[in-house]
Amino acid sequence: MTDQEKAIIEERRKENAIKTLFYNRYFAIRYISAAYLFVNLYWAAVLYMTQDYLAMLVPVAMLVFAGLTMWEQFKMFTRNQEQAKTTYRFYQTVIGVNSILALVTLTGQIGFLYPFLQDTQQSIIALLLVQGVGILLAVWILSKLNRINKNADKQYLRLKQYLAAHE
């Protein structure tokens, strides 16, 4: 291997390291988005098995939106990142949908969206806990996205240190 080939390989390694540092800013967001995707997939599958096709609209719509979010996150493996607008809208939607679902749960109408659950106090409490956790995670992700957009996140500080040391 010539010195020129070694230099090219080293330059590619540096560029990939920088892309990875940029990409890792969204690490938690990618995994939580994947969790939302699979929760909605499971919910839609259970509703399909219970033949509650109208109620499937909610999890299927959220599943598609989560898929678009995952696609946007996949495209973030670059040095020149744009703001994650789809991801931001998805988590705003998660807050809205979970809030509406909590209201539906509180009104005792869980049979329509959750026909696989019995209408008991334990089921209502469990659903409210799940919806509350969903809302809290979405709020946390939105604040994380705001920090990333302002370059005020911890990973960006590491990125700046790496760039200062290697460029």
Side-chain angles (χ1 to χ4, degrees), residues 42-53:
Y42 178 72
W43 185 19
V46 171
L47 288 173
Y48 178 78
M49 287 186 282
T50 60
Q51 299 179 346
D52 199 351
Y53 303 117

Side-chain angles (χ1 to χ4, degrees), residues 52-163:
D52 199 351
Y53 303 117
L54 184 60
M56 279 180 58
L57 292 177
V58 175
V60 168
M62 292 303 289
L63 179 66
V64 170
F65 205 175
L68 293 172
T69 298
M70 295 297 293
W71 177 249
E72 181 180 61
Q73 293 298 311
F74 176 74
K75 294 188 313 182
M76 291 289 201
F77 190 69
T78 180
R79 189 176 188 155
N80 304 317
Q81 292 178 334
E82 296 180 15
Q83 290 186 357
K85 293 177 183 174
T86 302
T87 304
Y88 198 85
R89 284 189 210 107
F90 172 70
Y91 283 100
Q92 288 176 323
T93 304
V94 166
I95 292 170
V97 167
N98 276 325
S99 298
I100 291 168
L101 291 174
L103 288 174
V104 168
T105 302
L106 286 171
T107 60
Q109 304 300 316
I110 68 169
F112 175 66
L113 292 169
Y114 310 102
F116 47 89
L117 293 176
Q118 293 180 358
D119 194 358
T120 65
Q121 191 167 359
Q122 290 85 3
S123 295
I124 292 171
I125 291 170
L127 283 173
L128 290 173
L129 281 172
V130 169
Q131 293 154 353
V133 168
I135 291 170
L136 291 174
L137 278 174
V139 167
W140 178 67
I141 293 297
L142 287 175
S143 69
K144 189 166 183 62
L145 284 168
N146 283 329
R147 286 192 307 274
I148 289 171
N149 291 340
K150 294 176 186 173
N151 291 328
D153 56 308
K154 291 178 186 177
Q155 195 66 23
Y156 185 74
L157 298 174
R158 290 184 192 112
L159 176 64
K160 280 179 32 179
Q161 291 171 344
Y162 181 86
L163 291 174

